[in-house]
Amino acid sequence: MNTDIASIVINRHAKTVFKFMSDPNNMDLWSFGTWRIKVDNEGLVHGQSIFDGSAAFVRIQPNEQNYLIDYWVGSDSTYLVPRIFVRITSGEVTGSATENCVMSMIAFRNESMNDERWHRLVTAHAFEVQLIKSVLENDFDHRKFCSGDNAVNP
């Protein structure tokens, strides 16, 4: 089994990043695996892969005490597995003098995942952590941009 880790320093407090990453309504701000999401009353996320339109389901299991988040994922809402994990490490732990944190996204490759799909996931996660950093540091919601709320005035 292969694993991948994509990490980035985010200039926000660890608690802010944890809350953002724990909120299922934020997934379509950063996740290419769950585009155009719908969140049911129990927090189950239903989205589509931006790559091929396939169905994706996610249940988020946050552990606030340790700033850990498990993302239970699958193509069938009745069978989800914990395959994506996020750890947020505060600046105090890393020795930073500023109020920032390190966010690490960890992915497990299951046995059925072919090389192309794994490469796509690794590449997507590398970009997603950059996108998460940008969203949090710039307070930019691209969903509003599409509706004209963040339009640039010449």
Side-chain angles (χ1 to χ4, degrees):
M1 174 189 310
N2 293 345
T3 58
D4 178 67
I5 303 172
S7 296
I8 196 160
V9 174
I10 301 176
N11 293 318
R12 292 289 177 263
H13 192 275
K15 186 171 190 166
T16 301
V17 176
F18 177 83
K19 286 182 183 247
F20 176 83
M21 296 300 294
S22 298
D23 185 343
N25 293 299
N26 289 333
M27 287 197 73
D28 60 355
L29 279 169
W30 61 268
S31 172
F32 293 124
T34 50
W35 203 253
R36 296 188 175 154
I37 64 167
K38 294 177 185 167
V39 182
D40 73 13
N41 293 337
E42 297 176 4
L44 179 68
V45 177
H46 177 215
Q48 293 178 290
S49 168
I50 196 168
F51 293 105
D52 61 14
S54 62
F57 294 91
V58 180
R59 183 169 307 283
I60 299 173
Q61 184 179 23
N63 174 334
E64 188 170 8
Q65 180 179 350
N66 296 307
Y67 289 155
L68 299 170
I69 306 165
D70 293 347
Y71 294 87
W72 292 66
V73 299
S75 59
D76 178 345
S77 66
T78 62
Y79 182 72
L80 303 176
V81 294
R83 205 170 42 75
I84 309 293
F85 313 93
V86 167
R87 173 180 275 285
I88 295 124
T89 305
S90 70
E92 295 84 22
V93 173
T94 63
S96 175
T98 62
E99 192 171 286
N100 64 24
C101 64
V102 174
M103 186 192 75
S104 299
M105 185 179 295
I106 301 103
F108 288 152
R109 179 181 184 174
N110 65 24
E111 296 296 323
S112 68
M113 193 177 288
N114 65 32
D115 289 343
E116 180 183 347
R117 185 167 170 230
W118 177 246
H119 176 72
R120 192 171 64 200
L121 182 141
V122 168
T123 303
H125 282 185
F127 184 77
E128 286 172 349
V129 297
Q130 295 286 334
L131 188 55
I132 292 162
K133 174 184 176 74
S134 180
V135 167
L136 285 165
E137 291 181 0
N138 298 304
D139 196 32
F140 178 73
D141 185 334
H142 64 76
R143 299 171 298 191
K144 293 179 183 175
F145 184 75
C146 295
S147 67
D149 291 351
N150 281 332
V152 176
N153 294 323

